[in-house]
Each structure stands twice: as C-alpha cells, then as structure tokens.
Amino acid sequence: SARLAAETCLLSCANSQMNCLKSLVQLEKDSLNERLRLIEELEEKVNAMDVRADLDLFIEHEKSEVPNGTTSMGDNDDGGIASALATLNSFSEGIGVGVGVAGMAELSSFSGWNDDDEEEVFHRDDLEDAVGILFKGEVYSNDSVSAEKKEQNFSELERSIQFLEKAVSEKSIRGRGYRASTCYALNNYRGKNTHLHHRKQYDGLCRVLDSLLDGCDREAADVANAKMCMMLAQTFYYVEDDNASEDRTNRLYPKEKLCHHPIWLDEDFWTQALFQCVTDSLANSGVMVRVRVKKSERNRKMKWHDLNFQDRADAASQIHAVIFSQLGALAHSMVEFGCSVEQACAFVRRLSVRHQLPLSQRAMLLSHLMYGSEESTPTNMIN
C-alpha cells in the first residue's frame, strides 16, 4: 500500500508538471499569435500610408499652427541649412579644390617632370608662339601682301594649328598643362583682338578648341580648361561678309562648331563645373569672412558648428544665393552649347535638390529655362 501511494503521488506530480508545461506552451503560442496579429495590423497601416499627403499635412500644420513655420526667414522657404553648411565646410577644408588654369599653365613650363624621354615635349613658349601666329590677322587679310607671301603665311598658320592640336589633345597629366597654357595664351588676346580677319583663322581656332575639349578629362584642372574654352568660344568671332556690320547677328562664333561636342552631354562635367564655380564665388565673397579664422589664443580655424543658429541661417542664405546664380548661368550655357531645355531642366532639378535650394529659387530657374530663355540673359536671371 505504501508503494502504491508513492507511485500515485509521483504520477500526480508528473501530470501536474506536464500540465504546467502545456500551459506555458499555450501562453507562448497565444502571445505569438497576438504579436502576429499586431504586426499584420501594423503592416496594413504602413501599406496605407501616403507619403506625399502626410508631407502636405505637415507643411500645412507648420504654416497654420506654428508662427512663421520653422523657417528662420518667415516665408516657409529657407531651403536646407545643413546642405549649405556642408558646402561651406567642404570649401573651408579645401575638399575637392584642384589646380586651376593658371596653376596648370605654370606646370607646362617644366619639361623634365616626365620620365619618358621619348615622348615629345611641348614648351609653354612654343605654345604661346603658335597662338600668336593664329592671331596675326593683318598678315592674312592684307591685300598688299604678295600671293607667295600669303601662301607662306597660311602654311605657317597650318603648322601652328597642327602643333596646337597635337599638344592640347594629349591625354595625360602633362597634357592638362598644355591645355591650360593654350587657354591662358588665348585668353590674353581677349582684350587685344577678338575679331578674326580670315576664315582660316576661324577654322583653325575651332579645330584647336575642339581638340582641347577632346583631351579634357573630368579632373579639376581639365574642367577649368573646358570652362575657359566655353568662354573663348563665345568671345572670338569672324564676320563672313566683309561688307556686313560687326553686329552680333552677323558674327560667327566658334561656339557654332563646338556645340555638338560630346562633353556637353556629360552631366558629370556640368556637376564638376558647378562645384568649381561655387568654390570660386565663395573664395571671393564675404561668406567666409566670419568662418575662416577665429581670433583666439589657439589661432584655429572656425568650423561651421562654432556658429550660432542665426549665423548658420545667414551663411546658408548667402550660399544658396551663390549656388542659385551659378546654377542659372550653367543651365543657360548648357542650352547655348546644344543641350536640350529638358536636359537643362533635369540638371537644375537634380542639383537644386542636392543643394536644397529654396522652392522659390528652383521655380525661378526652371521658369527661366522653360519660358524665358529667349527673353532673358543669365545676368538678368541672376540679378
């Protein structure tokens, strides 16, 4: 009987433990089912979300419930302060700043920096002399010069053009210096003689500029060279009819032949060009005066995070103005050099979003491109 009682108690205890385990499993199962139900409800709510409608509600709430919204200027349209300060920080740290045309022109003066002695080296003085031959207008247009002398002059002109074409089309680090030196030499004639007196001068200049663009890569120095080329292509001109006036409508610019070059269809080039233009503008503006150097015992540079909120907002506003003006000028140049209005508008949209320009500035740029390109100039648009 004692043994029977012990076994009965043991069986009862084991059954109780088993029932407890079953209860724990059921509780865990119920908990998981409840969690699954909640997750399914959450999934339904997430799938039903309308991001654009929620943003519209948020903006409407900011306008109606918060005095002046959350913008510092009170017009609900400040743009992105963080993006502007990132641009400012990149400039103050020298991030992405490369060698410009003048700097690369100096490099081409040195011929011993390339280890390959078998390659032909073009010296800066020779490049400048070849450019000088290109602009000897009186030699090619003077009727008093004999036919034989003219033929010699034209032969010399052709040799100079071929020399320049070969130098500026070289795809190397040294080639960037050649391109910069040629641009530098051409730029020196902007204030002397922009009128090309003979068709062969015009054709030769077009060939040189086209070869220069062929050699350009997307490094900072060559982007600067291509930008200079854009300016030169709209500076020098030729009037085909000798009896016609020199009005702009009768002028033939190298731009007419260069507008189909593939470099203009490369958005990466325009993006790099915008960065350089903004960097140059910041260097010459008063935006950096406040953040460049902080008078302190350590004499350290002031960072953007050292500024108070109002100073950050003011700096961002000035940076947006710089980006707005440069982006507008580049978008106009895109259209001038053969890009479609649709391509220019897409570029403006992407870069405006990237730099978080205020909506009013974005709308102004797009409106100018789509509706006012024939009535406005870049200067009018920027001002």
Short mmCIF file of all heavy atoms in Angstrom, two decimals, residues 276-318:
data_model
loop_
_atom_site.label_atom_id
_atom_site.label_comp_id
_atom_site.label_asym_id
_atom_site.label_seq_id
_atom_site.Cartn_x
_atom_site.Cartn_y
_atom_site.Cartn_z
N GLN A 276 33.15 73.98 -59.10
CA GLN A 276 34.25 74.94 -59.25
C GLN A 276 33.73 76.37 -59.22
O GLN A 276 34.34 77.25 -58.59
CB GLN A 276 35.00 74.68 -60.55
CG GLN A 276 35.94 73.50 -60.49
CD GLN A 276 36.93 73.49 -61.64
OE1 GLN A 276 36.97 74.41 -62.46
NE2 GLN A 276 37.74 72.45 -61.72
N CYS A 277 32.62 76.62 -59.90
CA CYS A 277 32.07 77.98 -59.92
C CYS A 277 31.66 78.43 -58.52
O CYS A 277 31.92 79.57 -58.13
CB CYS A 277 30.87 78.05 -60.86
SG CYS A 277 31.26 77.86 -62.61
N VAL A 278 31.02 77.53 -57.77
CA VAL A 278 30.61 77.87 -56.41
C VAL A 278 31.83 78.10 -55.53
O VAL A 278 31.88 79.04 -54.73
CB VAL A 278 29.72 76.74 -55.83
CG1 VAL A 278 29.47 76.96 -54.35
CG2 VAL A 278 28.39 76.69 -56.58
N THR A 279 32.85 77.25 -55.69
CA THR A 279 34.08 77.41 -54.91
C THR A 279 34.74 78.75 -55.19
O THR A 279 35.16 79.46 -54.26
CB THR A 279 35.05 76.26 -55.22
OG1 THR A 279 34.44 75.01 -54.87
CG2 THR A 279 36.34 76.42 -54.44
N ASP A 280 34.84 79.11 -56.47
CA ASP A 280 35.45 80.39 -56.84
C ASP A 280 34.64 81.57 -56.28
O ASP A 280 35.21 82.56 -55.81
CB ASP A 280 35.55 80.52 -58.36
CG ASP A 280 36.54 79.52 -58.95
OD1 ASP A 280 37.38 79.00 -58.20
OD2 ASP A 280 36.46 79.25 -60.17
N SER A 281 33.31 81.44 -56.33
CA SER A 281 32.47 82.52 -55.82
C SER A 281 32.59 82.67 -54.31
O SER A 281 32.63 83.78 -53.78
CB SER A 281 31.00 82.27 -56.21
OG SER A 281 30.83 82.30 -57.61
N LEU A 282 32.67 81.52 -53.62
CA LEU A 282 32.83 81.59 -52.16
C LEU A 282 34.16 82.21 -51.78
O LEU A 282 34.27 82.92 -50.78
CB LEU A 282 32.71 80.18 -51.57
CG LEU A 282 31.32 79.56 -51.54
CD1 LEU A 282 31.39 78.14 -51.00
CD2 LEU A 282 30.37 80.39 -50.70
N ALA A 283 35.18 81.93 -52.60
CA ALA A 283 36.50 82.49 -52.30
C ALA A 283 36.51 84.01 -52.41
O ALA A 283 37.28 84.69 -51.73
CB ALA A 283 37.54 81.90 -53.25
N ASN A 284 35.63 84.55 -53.27
CA ASN A 284 35.61 85.99 -53.49
C ASN A 284 34.45 86.68 -52.79
O ASN A 284 34.23 87.88 -52.99
CB ASN A 284 35.52 86.28 -55.00
CG ASN A 284 36.71 85.75 -55.76
OD1 ASN A 284 37.84 85.87 -55.29
ND2 ASN A 284 36.48 85.17 -56.92
N SER A 285 33.69 85.94 -51.99
CA SER A 285 32.53 86.53 -51.31
C SER A 285 32.84 86.76 -49.85
O SER A 285 33.88 86.38 -49.34
CB SER A 285 31.32 85.59 -51.45
OG SER A 285 31.52 84.41 -50.70
N GLY A 286 31.89 87.36 -49.16
CA GLY A 286 32.07 87.62 -47.74
C GLY A 286 31.57 86.51 -46.86
O GLY A 286 31.57 86.64 -45.63
N VAL A 287 31.13 85.41 -47.46
CA VAL A 287 30.59 84.31 -46.66
C VAL A 287 31.65 83.73 -45.74
O VAL A 287 31.38 83.36 -44.61
CB VAL A 287 30.01 83.21 -47.58
CG1 VAL A 287 29.46 82.07 -46.75
CG2 VAL A 287 28.94 83.79 -48.48
N MET A 288 32.89 83.66 -46.22
CA MET A 288 33.95 83.01 -45.46
C MET A 288 34.59 83.92 -44.43
O MET A 288 35.36 83.45 -43.59
CB MET A 288 35.03 82.50 -46.42
CG MET A 288 34.54 81.43 -47.37
SD MET A 288 33.88 80.01 -46.51
CE MET A 288 35.31 79.50 -45.57
N VAL A 289 34.28 85.22 -44.47
CA VAL A 289 34.96 86.13 -43.56
C VAL A 289 34.68 85.75 -42.11
O VAL A 289 35.55 85.77 -41.25
CB VAL A 289 34.50 87.58 -43.83
CG1 VAL A 289 35.05 88.51 -42.76
CG2 VAL A 289 34.94 88.01 -45.21
N ARG A 290 33.43 85.34 -41.85
CA ARG A 290 33.04 85.04 -40.49
C ARG A 290 33.58 83.70 -40.02
O ARG A 290 33.81 83.48 -38.85
CB ARG A 290 31.52 85.06 -40.38
CG ARG A 290 31.02 84.85 -38.95
CD ARG A 290 29.51 84.89 -38.90
NE ARG A 290 29.02 86.21 -39.22
CZ ARG A 290 28.04 86.46 -40.09
NH1 ARG A 290 27.45 85.45 -40.71
NH2 ARG A 290 27.65 87.69 -40.34
N VAL A 291 33.77 82.77 -40.95
CA VAL A 291 34.12 81.42 -40.53
C VAL A 291 35.55 81.02 -40.87
O VAL A 291 35.97 79.93 -40.55
CB VAL A 291 33.16 80.40 -41.20
CG1 VAL A 291 31.75 80.65 -40.74
CG2 VAL A 291 33.26 80.45 -42.70
N ARG A 292 36.29 81.89 -41.54
CA ARG A 292 37.62 81.47 -41.98
C ARG A 292 38.60 81.40 -40.82
O ARG A 292 39.28 80.40 -40.59
CB ARG A 292 38.13 82.44 -43.05
CG ARG A 292 39.51 82.06 -43.56
CD ARG A 292 39.89 82.89 -44.76
NE ARG A 292 39.02 82.57 -45.87
CZ ARG A 292 38.84 83.34 -46.93
NH1 ARG A 292 39.47 84.47 -47.00
NH2 ARG A 292 38.04 83.00 -47.89
N VAL A 293 38.73 82.47 -40.06
CA VAL A 293 39.70 82.49 -38.97
C VAL A 293 39.04 83.09 -37.73
O VAL A 293 38.39 84.12 -37.81
CB VAL A 293 40.94 83.33 -39.34
CG1 VAL A 293 41.91 83.39 -38.16
CG2 VAL A 293 41.63 82.74 -40.55
N LYS A 294 39.21 82.40 -36.64
CA LYS A 294 38.69 82.89 -35.37
C LYS A 294 39.85 83.42 -34.53
O LYS A 294 40.82 82.73 -34.30
CB LYS A 294 37.98 81.77 -34.61
CG LYS A 294 37.37 82.23 -33.29
CD LYS A 294 36.70 81.06 -32.59
CE LYS A 294 36.09 81.51 -31.28
NZ LYS A 294 35.45 80.39 -30.57
N LYS A 295 39.73 84.70 -34.14
CA LYS A 295 40.78 85.30 -33.33
C LYS A 295 40.75 84.67 -31.94
O LYS A 295 39.84 84.91 -31.15
CB LYS A 295 40.56 86.81 -33.22
CG LYS A 295 40.55 87.53 -34.56
CD LYS A 295 41.94 87.81 -35.05
CE LYS A 295 41.91 88.69 -36.29
NZ LYS A 295 43.22 88.96 -36.82
N SER A 296 41.66 83.85 -31.67
CA SER A 296 41.73 83.21 -30.35
C SER A 296 43.18 82.92 -30.03
O SER A 296 44.07 83.05 -30.87
CB SER A 296 40.91 81.91 -30.34
OG SER A 296 41.51 80.96 -31.18
N GLU A 297 43.39 82.50 -28.80
CA GLU A 297 44.75 82.22 -28.39
C GLU A 297 45.33 81.04 -29.15
O GLU A 297 46.53 80.92 -29.32
CB GLU A 297 44.79 81.96 -26.88
CG GLU A 297 43.82 80.88 -26.42
CD GLU A 297 43.81 80.76 -24.92
OE1 GLU A 297 44.54 81.53 -24.27
OE2 GLU A 297 43.07 79.91 -24.39
N ARG A 298 44.47 80.15 -29.61
CA ARG A 298 44.95 79.00 -30.38
C ARG A 298 45.07 79.31 -31.87
O ARG A 298 45.67 78.54 -32.61
CB ARG A 298 43.98 77.83 -30.20
CG ARG A 298 43.92 77.31 -28.76
CD ARG A 298 42.99 76.12 -28.69
NE ARG A 298 42.90 75.61 -27.33
CZ ARG A 298 42.14 74.57 -26.98
NH1 ARG A 298 41.41 73.95 -27.91
NH2 ARG A 298 42.11 74.17 -25.74
N ASN A 299 44.47 80.41 -32.28
CA ASN A 299 44.52 80.83 -33.69
C ASN A 299 44.07 79.70 -34.63
O ASN A 299 44.69 79.40 -35.64
CB ASN A 299 45.93 81.28 -34.07
CG ASN A 299 45.93 82.04 -35.39
OD1 ASN A 299 44.93 82.65 -35.77
ND2 ASN A 299 47.06 82.01 -36.08
N ARG A 300 42.98 79.03 -34.28
CA ARG A 300 42.49 77.93 -35.08
C ARG A 300 41.38 78.42 -36.02
O ARG A 300 40.78 79.47 -35.81
CB ARG A 300 41.95 76.83 -34.18
CG ARG A 300 40.72 77.22 -33.38
CD ARG A 300 40.24 76.08 -32.49
NE ARG A 300 39.06 76.46 -31.72
CZ ARG A 300 37.83 76.33 -32.16
NH1 ARG A 300 37.61 75.88 -33.39
NH2 ARG A 300 36.80 76.68 -31.41
N LYS A 301 41.12 77.62 -37.03
CA LYS A 301 40.03 77.94 -37.95
C LYS A 301 38.68 77.69 -37.27
O LYS A 301 38.49 76.71 -36.58
CB LYS A 301 40.11 77.09 -39.22
CG LYS A 301 41.19 77.53 -40.18
CD LYS A 301 41.10 76.72 -41.47
CE LYS A 301 42.13 77.21 -42.47
NZ LYS A 301 42.03 76.44 -43.73
N MET A 302 37.75 78.58 -37.57
CA MET A 302 36.41 78.38 -37.04
C MET A 302 35.64 77.43 -37.94
O MET A 302 35.67 77.55 -39.16
CB MET A 302 35.68 79.72 -36.95
CG MET A 302 34.23 79.61 -36.48
SD MET A 302 33.43 81.22 -36.38
CE MET A 302 33.58 81.54 -34.64
N LYS A 303 34.96 76.47 -37.34
CA LYS A 303 34.17 75.50 -38.07
C LYS A 303 32.71 75.97 -38.11
O LYS A 303 32.28 76.82 -37.32
CB LYS A 303 34.25 74.13 -37.42
CG LYS A 303 35.69 73.63 -37.23
CD LYS A 303 36.37 73.41 -38.56
CE LYS A 303 37.76 72.81 -38.36
NZ LYS A 303 38.47 72.61 -39.64
N TRP A 304 31.94 75.36 -39.03
CA TRP A 304 30.55 75.76 -39.14
C TRP A 304 29.78 75.50 -37.85
O TRP A 304 28.85 76.23 -37.51
CB TRP A 304 29.89 75.02 -40.31
CG TRP A 304 29.82 73.52 -40.14
CD1 TRP A 304 30.72 72.60 -40.55
CD2 TRP A 304 28.79 72.80 -39.46
NE1 TRP A 304 30.33 71.34 -40.20
CE2 TRP A 304 29.14 71.43 -39.53
CE3 TRP A 304 27.60 73.16 -38.83
CZ2 TRP A 304 28.35 70.44 -38.97
CZ3 TRP A 304 26.81 72.17 -38.28
CH2 TRP A 304 27.18 70.83 -38.35
N HIS A 305 30.19 74.45 -37.09
CA HIS A 305 29.46 74.13 -35.87
C HIS A 305 29.78 75.09 -34.74
O HIS A 305 29.17 75.01 -33.67
CB HIS A 305 29.72 72.68 -35.44
CG HIS A 305 31.16 72.28 -35.48
ND1 HIS A 305 32.07 72.71 -34.55
CD2 HIS A 305 31.85 71.49 -36.35
CE1 HIS A 305 33.26 72.21 -34.82
NE2 HIS A 305 33.16 71.46 -35.91
N ASP A 306 30.75 75.99 -34.94
CA ASP A 306 31.02 77.02 -33.95
C ASP A 306 30.06 78.20 -34.07
O ASP A 306 30.01 79.06 -33.18
CB ASP A 306 32.46 77.53 -34.08
CG ASP A 306 33.48 76.46 -33.75
OD1 ASP A 306 33.21 75.68 -32.82
OD2 ASP A 306 34.53 76.39 -34.41
N LEU A 307 29.32 78.27 -35.18
CA LEU A 307 28.39 79.37 -35.40
C LEU A 307 27.10 79.13 -34.63
O LEU A 307 26.69 77.99 -34.41
CB LEU A 307 28.05 79.49 -36.89
CG LEU A 307 29.23 79.73 -37.85
CD1 LEU A 307 28.74 79.67 -39.29
CD2 LEU A 307 29.90 81.06 -37.57
N ASN A 308 26.47 80.23 -34.22
CA ASN A 308 25.17 80.08 -33.60
C ASN A 308 24.10 79.89 -34.68
O ASN A 308 24.38 79.97 -35.87
CB ASN A 308 24.83 81.29 -32.71
CG ASN A 308 24.84 82.60 -33.50
OD1 ASN A 308 24.33 82.67 -34.62
ND2 ASN A 308 25.42 83.64 -32.92
N PHE A 309 22.86 79.65 -34.26
CA PHE A 309 21.81 79.29 -35.22
C PHE A 309 21.59 80.39 -36.25
O PHE A 309 21.45 80.12 -37.45
CB PHE A 309 20.51 78.97 -34.48
CG PHE A 309 19.37 78.67 -35.41
CD1 PHE A 309 19.26 77.43 -36.03
CD2 PHE A 309 18.41 79.64 -35.70
CE1 PHE A 309 18.23 77.15 -36.90
CE2 PHE A 309 17.37 79.37 -36.57
CZ PHE A 309 17.28 78.11 -37.16
N GLN A 310 21.53 81.64 -35.80
CA GLN A 310 21.24 82.73 -36.72
C GLN A 310 22.38 82.91 -37.73
O GLN A 310 22.14 83.15 -38.91
CB GLN A 310 21.02 84.04 -35.95
CG GLN A 310 20.54 85.19 -36.82
CD GLN A 310 19.27 84.87 -37.57
OE1 GLN A 310 18.31 84.38 -36.97
NE2 GLN A 310 19.24 85.15 -38.87
N ASP A 311 23.63 82.76 -37.26
CA ASP A 311 24.77 82.87 -38.17
C ASP A 311 24.75 81.74 -39.21
O ASP A 311 25.09 81.94 -40.38
CB ASP A 311 26.09 82.83 -37.40
CG ASP A 311 26.33 84.13 -36.64
OD1 ASP A 311 25.71 85.13 -37.01
OD2 ASP A 311 27.12 84.11 -35.67
N ARG A 312 24.36 80.56 -38.78
CA ARG A 312 24.26 79.44 -39.72
C ARG A 312 23.20 79.74 -40.78
O ARG A 312 23.41 79.48 -41.97
CB ARG A 312 23.89 78.16 -38.97
CG ARG A 312 24.97 77.64 -38.04
CD ARG A 312 24.51 76.34 -37.39
NE ARG A 312 25.41 75.94 -36.31
CZ ARG A 312 25.24 74.87 -35.57
NH1 ARG A 312 24.19 74.08 -35.77
NH2 ARG A 312 26.10 74.56 -34.61
N ALA A 313 22.06 80.25 -40.34
CA ALA A 313 20.99 80.56 -41.28
C ALA A 313 21.42 81.64 -42.27
O ALA A 313 21.13 81.56 -43.47
CB ALA A 313 19.74 80.99 -40.53
N ASP A 314 22.12 82.67 -41.78
CA ASP A 314 22.61 83.74 -42.67
C ASP A 314 23.62 83.20 -43.67
O ASP A 314 23.58 83.55 -44.85
CB ASP A 314 23.24 84.85 -41.83
CG ASP A 314 22.22 85.60 -40.98
OD1 ASP A 314 21.01 85.47 -41.27
OD2 ASP A 314 22.62 86.28 -40.02
N ALA A 315 24.56 82.36 -43.19
CA ALA A 315 25.55 81.79 -44.10
C ALA A 315 24.88 80.91 -45.15
O ALA A 315 25.23 80.95 -46.33
CB ALA A 315 26.58 80.98 -43.31
N ALA A 316 23.89 80.13 -44.72
CA ALA A 316 23.18 79.26 -45.66
C ALA A 316 22.46 80.08 -46.72
O ALA A 316 22.45 79.72 -47.91
CB ALA A 316 22.19 78.37 -44.91
N SER A 317 21.86 81.19 -46.31
CA SER A 317 21.16 82.05 -47.27
C SER A 317 22.11 82.60 -48.32
O SER A 317 21.78 82.64 -49.52
CB SER A 317 20.47 83.19 -46.51
OG SER A 317 19.83 84.07 -47.42
N GLN A 318 23.31 83.02 -47.90
CA GLN A 318 24.29 83.54 -48.85
C GLN A 318 24.80 82.44 -49.79
O GLN A 318 24.99 82.67 -50.98
CB GLN A 318 25.46 84.16 -48.08
CG GLN A 318 25.07 85.38 -47.27
CD GLN A 318 26.23 85.95 -46.48
OE1 GLN A 318 27.26 86.34 -47.05
NE2 GLN A 318 26.11 85.98 -45.17
#
